[in-house]
Amino acid sequence: MRQPLVIGNWKMNGRRHEAEDLLAAVVRGTADLVSVGIAVCPPYLYLPTALGVLGATGAIACGAQDVSAYTDGAFTGEVSAEMIRDIGCRFAIIGHSERRTLFGETDAVVAKKFARAQEAGLTPVLCVGETAAERDQGQTELVVSRQIEAIVAECGAASLAAAVLAYEPVWAIGTGRAAAPAEAQRVHAFIRRVVARHSTSAAQALRVLYGGSVKAQNARDLFIQDDIDGGLIGGASLLAAEFVGICRAAHLG
Ligand code: 13P
């Protein structure tokens, strides 16, 4: 049995007092959900604030939205995986489509970031997914398998066993148009088959989250699918009631 996992990706949003208020409400609203893994990924600057509010209970984990592809050194403006682990984070989102498309991250750069995160003791949350144009051309499976194989080439197949994958179709992100549960399930099952080519045990253990316009209202229909193990939540993770509702749906799903 894979424990369901819900991760909030706040992206570049919020201010310190909003982070404090939001997290206090999420802690209150999810206190009884012991069977669901929950994590939040605020902007780097608010990670210490978040870790402070979440305290030592460890019930809700913290993650970063990115890490440097480099280890510590002369890399102005970068934040290393070691630093993120040092302050108490457990996760790092790697290869989000916004980083791939807006900041030119290639599969090779994403694989280096994945490696740095794992070396530092963080659990990478590797984002994969096709654009609308790629979907229209029937290339979803090609794109997703290429993105996964880039990690296997750099880090080996065993690295996937200690990671989390997030299928985030780019056309579903921030559009209010989530993938239909059956379509998402089909791609999640495919992702598991790609991993199984290298290791059947890794494929079985791997948690594959769905991301893209998940709300409290549509979460359960997604999370009850066999190969969907939770969600990576953008906009709805900024609203306490929505995020708590999604965590509750994972509990039921
Ligand atoms: P939305 O939930 O806002 O569509 O964003 C999804 C996402 O990109 C999470 O990483």
Side-chain angles (χ1 to χ4, degrees), residues 2 100 114 124-130 139-152 157 160-161 163-171 179 181-211 226-230 232:
R2 298 180 292 267
R100 292 179 191 261
F114 184 102
V125 181
L126 174 71
C127 299
V128 299
E130 81 288 1
Q139 293 181 343
T140 298
E141 300 190 345
L142 195 71
V143 169
V144 165
S145 60
R146 190 201 72 219
Q147 291 169 334
I148 296 170
E149 295 297 349
I151 302 299
V152 174
L160 292 175
V164 172
L165 251 74
Y167 171 56
E168 297 208 308
V170 180
W171 48 268
E183 181 177 0
Q185 162 58 27
R186 192 178 53 72
V187 181
H188 280 235
F190 172 74
I191 287 171
R192 224 177 277 289
R193 286 201 300 279
V194 171
V195 177
R197 283 181 208 151
H198 301 282
S199 161
T200 47
S201 58
Q204 271 316 304
L206 184 71
R207 285 184 289 185
V208 186
L209 313 183
Y210 168 80
D226 283 352
D227 289 292
I228 301 183
D229 304 312
L232 182 55

Side-chain angles (χ1 to χ4, degrees), residues 9 11 96 98 168 172-175 211-214 232-236:
N9 174 10
K11 309 192 179 182
H96 191 280
E98 285 148 20
E168 297 208 308
I173 294 177
T175 59
S213 297
V214 179
L232 182 55
I233 318 301

Side-chain angles (χ1 to χ4, degrees), residues 6 10 18 21-30 33 214-219 233 235-249:
V6 177
W10 293 6
E18 290 165 330
D21 293 350
L22 173 58
L23 286 173
V26 170
V27 168
R28 276 195 305 276
T30 59
L33 296 184
V214 179
K215 313 281 178 226
Q217 171 266 325
N218 63 7
I233 318 301
S237 72
L238 298 168
L239 304 167
E242 277 290 314
F243 191 63
V244 167
I246 293 167
C247 294
R248 293 202 162 275

